[in-house]
Amino acid sequence: MRNGGEIGIQQDQLGGKMAKRASRPAGKARKPDRVNGKSLSPQKELSELLKCRFPEVFVEGKIDGDKLRQSLGEELDTNNERYGLSWAGKAECFRHIQETTTATLRPRRSESVDFDKTENIFIEGDNLEVLKILQKTYQNKIKMIYIDPPYNTGNDSFIYPDRYKEEKEDYELRAGIKDAEGLLTKDGFWRKNSKDAGHFHSNWLSMMYPRLFLAKNLLREDGVIFVSIGDEEMSNLRCIMDEIFGEENFLGMITWKARVKPVNIGDAKYRPQREVEYVFVYQKEYHEGVFQRLITGSMRTYPHDLNGRKYRLATILKSNRGANIRSTMVFELDGYTPPDGQRWQAGEDVIRQLHHDGYIEFREGTPLIRYFEDEEGAEHDPFYCFMEVDWSSTSEAGKNQLNEILGDRHGFDTVKPTRLVSTLVQSCTKSSAEDIIMDFFSGSCTTAHAIMSLNSESSGNRKFLCVQIAEPCEPDGEAFKAGFSTVADIGKERIRRAGKKIKKEMEGNLTFDKNRLDLGFKVFRLEESNFKQWRENVRTGEELKEQMRMFVDNVKKGAGSEDMLFEIILKNSRFDLNVKIEKQSFAGVDYYRLATEDPSTTLRAGSEGTEKIKAVSGNKRIHHEEKEGHEGKTNANEIICLDTKITKKFVDKVLEEKPERFTCLDIAFKNNDQLKTNTALQMESAKIEFKVI
Ligand SMILES: C[S@@+](CC[C@H](N)C(=O)[O-])C[C@H]1O[C@@H](n2cnc3c(N)ncnc32)[C@H](O)[C@@H]1O
């Protein structure tokens, strides 16, 4: 049984971990672990790693600097003068990285499209908090990150880092500074960083550093990050990227022509035209083949497979009207004759030979021709650091694209073109792999749009994970007048409309497997936890009593089952937000079964102990080998029960299902300590991890 979860939310915390770890009499079950309601602290993880490698440098749980120096010998630079970028507030950044969050992501079904089927995700909220929340479930799962952060032009607004000096509780209070509609207010923590404000560059660096640091943990080992930037912070960004990702992982700086029209206002007239922007590219670790050459021409991909040979499909019919009329090219093949106005593309002998050689495939009764990858020899272009407009398109075109979808009242001055993003995506992801691409400064959601389009062109399976704060639209601005309250609303509406547009364009396209195209997305919003948090700074006995009373039921008022379910998935499950969820009921108790594939197959097959079960976690397939008898039961799944009453009958059902982990509410045992103790004992002997919240 894999125990060791920390007590996170409730009063057991008072007893401390020491008491919890004390040896217990043989035959007596330990109490179930409580779900840790906090996000992962990357420093803590690093410290654990260090402890494994250098146990000798730890004294009473803390790192002894002198001992570390001795262990590393000459590897340690003890010179006070050293190379590196420093700014006002840099040390604070590390405190922020370390601070955990208890916030959660609440599902918003009404704003989503195909919530239960889609694997695309949009999260509304401050990306620092969101990155922290995702540390547990998305660590090493993201194949590519593309971000387009504020360039720090003097007109950009972002979360102001000077506020970080507050105490955590004040910060949380302040995070609640919202207007009646729940929007962030400008006098809260979202402010403009103008050039005459003190610490102009430091503010930007302090905003960026913790986000990039946390983002790195989410990247897969073979993952790549692309960061767009302008002249303003280009040199500073390079320094912090080198520091966080390592100079040796720098893959290049792409320069692309963002504007073709000259700017003739203000001082722009008196300096060279700044028509280019940059994209820094870093890999997480060296991996051969991380970066691919680009397929020239039509971005051909080969989505179909015939005995291991990849192929694409194209039409083999032509118009049979006007100058194209050829009566000898209208003939019957395998019971099919081209309809009026159409003919075969070649003569009868050629078509029959192609058919004989396996080059013709019928889909929905229509003939198509197969082009095999190994025969076509697609041409590949090197990826050049100077990106031609053909590969990137321009910002002006990006804005026109957005106009086409939302009308011209979206209020965005600069929008990235989908072509730029899709070229970057193609360079390091494969259409057939289920790669996740993240953008945590997603603005109008160009990245989501680019991925849906790319998938539709190539029968791809890439998924997006976009994060955007609810930045309020200016009340006198065009977007507000057009009905958008926040930039996040603009992003969500773009995804909805782009999805519909692509679907329409795909209608009638037989070369494409429409059922596989994911044009939906799940919306989540950053919110406070659904569970009451145990205050660590209780000072008086009265406060303690009040806290104990509050914790008789630690579920906050108004917390919905699905809200709690996703919070538990994020904080205490090995699955991610795309886990397949099946709601079930047994003997009057409601519960959820989770598995990355259809949970009913995984669980049922598991309890019979007869089949080889595969469960998919992120991009890694986990195979559970078939074994005999009780031991052979497969448990690659979890059960979560949020019912407020649990019965013995239900506990027996869970034992029979034999999930890997079972989580339920502490209050579900009401005052029945005996049932709780027995459940803990039975779960332990059945090797089921048992957690309460
Ligand atoms: C330059 S824009 C991105 C534009 C986007 N690439 C596009 O094509 O539409 C940067 C976006 O980051 C958002 N942003 C800034 N700080 C953020 C934060 N802390 N969390 C989430 N989003 C943030 C801003 O609201 C803005 O929409």
Side-chain angles (χ1 to χ4, degrees):
M1 177 169 166
R2 282 161 294 110
N3 282 316
E6 266 175 49
I7 296 170
I9 295 183
Q10 285 199 335
Q11 64 267 41
D12 285 24
Q13 208 154 22
L14 287 178
K17 290 167 212 159
M18 297 301 287
K20 186 171 160 258
R21 300 272 173 242
S23 60
R24 74 199 129 92
K28 247 197 156 185
R30 50 170 293 162
K31 277 186 179 175
D33 281 335
R34 283 187 193 280
V35 171
N36 185 351
K38 293 176 183 171
S39 59
L40 271 192
S41 154
Q43 262 94 348
K44 222 169 153 204
E45 289 239 305
L46 273 179
S47 162
E48 290 297 324
L49 268 178
L50 210 58
K51 204 179 270 176
C52 283
R53 199 68 195 80
F54 298 100
E56 72 279 11
V57 309
F58 281 78
V59 178
E60 294 185 326
K62 291 257 182 298
I63 299 170
D64 182 326
D66 288 336
K67 289 200 168 165
L68 185 62
R69 215 163 287 135
Q70 281 161 13
S71 297
L72 291 173
E74 286 177 7
E75 289 298 310
L76 215 66
D77 184 359
T78 48
N79 194 341
N80 282 337
E81 287 179 331
R82 58 180 60 105
Y83 169 80
L85 178 69
S86 177
W87 66 90
K90 185 171 183 182
E92 283 292 302
C93 287
F94 292 97
R95 198 162 72 82
H96 290 306
I97 291 168
Q98 235 170 324
E99 268 169 3
T100 51
T101 178
T102 54
T104 186
L105 302 178
R106 283 216 184 149
R108 311 272 299 175
R109 276 186 180 268
S110 60
E111 298 181 60
S112 312
V113 175
D114 269 346
F115 190 96
D116 293 314
K117 280 202 212 133
T118 182
E119 302 205 321
N120 296 318
I121 292 168
F122 177 95
I123 301 172
E124 183 173 313
D126 169 23
N127 50 21
L128 183 64
E129 295 287 290
V130 173
L131 284 164
K132 285 183 180 180
I133 294 176
L134 300 183
Q135 294 291 305
K136 266 185 192 166
T137 34
Y138 281 87
Q139 201 175 74
N140 297 330
K141 282 194 182 169
I142 307 288
K143 179 71 211 295
M144 166 181 163
I145 294 177
Y146 168 69
I147 50 166
D148 175 22
Y151 284 4
N152 212 17
T153 57
N155 288 318
D156 298 321
S157 299
F158 47 79
I159 301 256
Y160 228 63
D162 64 348
R163 295 299 199 102
Y164 287 148
K165 291 195 183 91
E166 300 163 329
E167 287 306 308
K168 176 83 175 151
E169 275 190 16
D170 294 341
Y171 169 80
E172 277 169 2
L173 255 183
R174 178 174 51 75
I177 303 176
K178 292 174 183 168
D179 66 15
E181 263 125 51
L183 301 180
L184 304 173
T185 56
K186 290 271 180 195
D187 51 351
F189 57 110
W190 179 263
R191 279 197 277 139
K192 188 164 146 179
N193 193 35
S194 62
K195 281 191 173 144
D196 40 323
H199 298 155
F200 176 66
H201 292 289
S202 294
N203 285 339
W204 186 85
L205 283 162
S206 292
M207 185 273 292
M208 288 299 291
Y209 195 96
R211 289 167 170 84
L212 288 168
F213 190 102
L214 292 168
K216 185 182 168 195
N217 293 337
L218 303 188
L219 272 183
R220 273 165 43 175
E221 302 305 324
D222 62 348
V224 180
I225 180 166
F226 298 85
V227 186
S228 270
I229 199 69
D231 289 296
E232 299 83 355
E233 297 293 349
M234 191 248 265
S235 54
N236 285 333
L237 178 67
R238 173 85 197 252
C239 287
I240 57 170
M241 293 291 288
D242 275 352
E243 189 171 315
I244 296 169
F245 287 87
E247 219 177 310
E248 66 284 7
N249 289 319
F250 171 71
L251 288 178
M253 184 185 82
I254 297 163
T255 304
W256 65 287
K257 198 166 158 73
R259 276 165 292 280
V260 281
K261 292 185 203 141
V263 181
N264 284 319
I265 46 168
D267 67 350
K269 280 185 286 192
Y270 308 114
R271 54 171 162 74
Q273 284 290 329
R274 291 185 184 163
E275 82 278 30
V276 295
E277 290 181 19
Y278 317 96
V279 183
F280 282 113
V281 193
Y282 283 75
Q283 62 190 347
K284 184 168 175 183
E285 270 182 18
Y286 175 75
H287 265 262
E288 215 164 283
V290 155
F291 224 71
Q292 302 151 29
R293 287 156 75 90
L294 297 168
I295 300 168
T296 49
S298 59
M299 298 196 294
R300 273 178 206 147
T301 46
Y302 299 84
H304 310 288
D305 188 286
L306 184 72
N307 303 328
R309 290 179 77 196
K310 299 266 173 234
Y311 69 95
R312 65 185 179 92
L313 287 168
T315 182
I316 195 171
L317 299 179
K318 247 187 150 167
S319 158
N320 200 24
R321 294 184 204 279
N324 279 323
I325 292 187
R326 303 267 195 292
S327 51
T328 53
M329 290 187 182
V330 181
F331 52 87
E332 187 257 14
L333 179 83
D334 239 5
Y336 175 88
T337 310
D340 271 359
Q342 292 204 298
R343 62 168 172 85
W344 296 98
Q345 265 182 25
E348 190 163 351
D349 290 351
V350 176
I351 294 291
R352 290 203 186 281
Q353 189 62 46
L354 284 171
H355 185 43
H356 175 266
D357 296 343
Y359 284 92
I360 294 180
E361 176 173 323
F362 283 88
R363 288 210 163 200
E364 295 176 26
T366 306
L368 298 161
I369 181 158
R370 291 175 174 150
Y371 286 104
F372 289 92
E373 187 178 22
D374 52 9
E375 289 176 351
E376 229 177 14
E379 291 198 5
H380 289 79
D381 239 15
F383 194 114
Y384 290 108
C385 277
F386 182 79
M387 201 182 262
E388 301 288 347
V389 173
D390 278 358
W391 285 115
S392 65
S393 190
T394 61
S395 277
E396 287 128 349
K399 194 167 167 179
N400 290 338
Q401 260 185 325
L402 188 58
N403 291 350
E404 219 186 284
I405 301 261
L406 291 183
D408 56 4
R409 297 175 69 194
H410 46 72
F412 268 82
D413 278 340
T414 53
V415 186
K416 294 291 175 282
T418 53
R419 183 77 174 108
L420 169 74
V421 180
S422 55
T423 298
L424 303 179
V425 169
Q426 276 192 306
S427 71
C428 69
T429 67
K430 291 201 171 68
S431 59
S432 53
E434 309 215 335
D435 289 335
I436 308 175
I437 294 123
M438 182 181 200
D439 177 350
F440 53 88
F441 284 99
S442 63
S444 69
C445 287
T446 304
T447 301
H449 188 170
I451 288 164
M452 291 194 298
S453 298
L454 199 55
N455 281 344
S456 73
E457 286 158 20
S458 60
S459 283
N461 285 327
R462 300 167 175 108
K463 298 155 203 325
F464 63 79
L465 198 171
C466 288
V467 185
Q468 170 60 39
I469 200 161
E471 177 184 350
C473 294
E474 294 295 341
D476 48 358
E478 286 299 304
F480 194 83
K481 287 183 203 151
F484 295 110
S485 304
T486 68
V487 175
D489 290 341
I490 295 177
K492 284 177 279 185
E493 189 55 20
R494 179 181 190 172
I495 305 177
R496 281 182 213 112
R497 293 198 197 175
K500 279 188 192 154
K501 185 167 178 269
I502 294 169
K503 196 170 179 184
K504 206 162 166 206
E505 285 162 3
M506 297 317 293
E507 268 160 24
N509 183 347
L510 293 172
T511 62
F512 179 79
D513 185 355
K514 276 170 284 214
N515 295 330
R516 282 180 45 207
L517 184 59
D518 185 356
L519 297 172
F521 69 117
K522 289 196 266 262
V523 178
F524 291 88
R525 200 150 89 175
L526 178 71
E527 301 263 353
E528 281 177 11
S529 171
N530 295 292
F531 302 98
K532 295 171 193 163
Q533 303 300 314
W534 187 256
R535 274 178 56 201
E536 278 158 28
N537 55 353
V538 179
R539 280 174 285 257
T540 65
E542 274 314 300
E543 279 181 0
L544 183 60
K545 256 198 229 154
E546 172 58 18
Q547 186 135 295
M548 305 272 269
R549 197 189 49 74
M550 243 173 58
F551 271 79
V552 172
D553 177 359
N554 66 336
V555 177
K556 280 189 192 159
K557 249 199 188 135
S561 293
E562 199 167 61
D563 302 338
M564 290 191 273
L565 177 68
F566 276 101
E567 179 159 359
I568 296 171
I569 290 170
L570 284 164
K571 296 176 175 175
N572 176 50
S573 123
R574 66 175 185 76
F575 294 118
D576 59 35
L577 293 170
N578 283 332
V579 60
K580 300 282 174 283
I581 302 168
E582 197 180 54
K583 193 170 176 188
Q584 293 280 314
S585 188
F586 181 79
V589 181
D590 290 337
Y591 66 104
Y592 297 93
R593 302 202 290 193
L594 313 182
T596 312
E597 280 175 350
D598 179 3
S600 45
T601 1
T602 355
L603 277 158
R604 244 168 259 136
S607 41
E608 284 156 25
T610 52
E611 284 181 41
K612 229 181 209 180
I613 303 300
K614 291 177 210 154
V616 188
S617 173
N619 296 303
K620 291 188 190 89
R621 279 187 174 264
I622 300 160
H623 296 261
H624 294 266
E625 294 299 325
E626 176 188 349
K627 286 183 200 155
E628 290 300 313
H630 182 77
E631 281 301 306
K633 288 184 179 180
T634 310
N635 55 8
N637 42 58
E638 299 182 16
I639 288 185
I640 298 177
C641 174
L642 299 167
D643 216 310
T644 48
K645 184 150 175 39
I646 278 183
T647 57
K648 167 142 188 356
K649 210 167 166 190
F650 178 72
V651 172
D652 289 343
K653 168 78 177 163
V654 175
L655 289 164
E656 186 199 314
E657 294 280 18
K658 205 173 187 320
E660 184 180 76
R661 182 179 295 169
F662 169 56
T663 308
C664 66
L665 298 177
D666 197 37
I667 48 154
F669 292 99
K670 293 268 161 47
N671 295 323
N672 195 344
D673 279 348
Q674 196 188 352
L675 179 61
K676 188 169 160 186
T677 310
N678 285 343
T679 305
L681 258 174
Q682 286 175 297
M683 296 284 163
E684 186 166 1
S685 66
K687 295 190 169 53
I688 299 170
E689 196 173 346
F690 175 36
K691 296 244 181 182
V692 291
I693 188 159

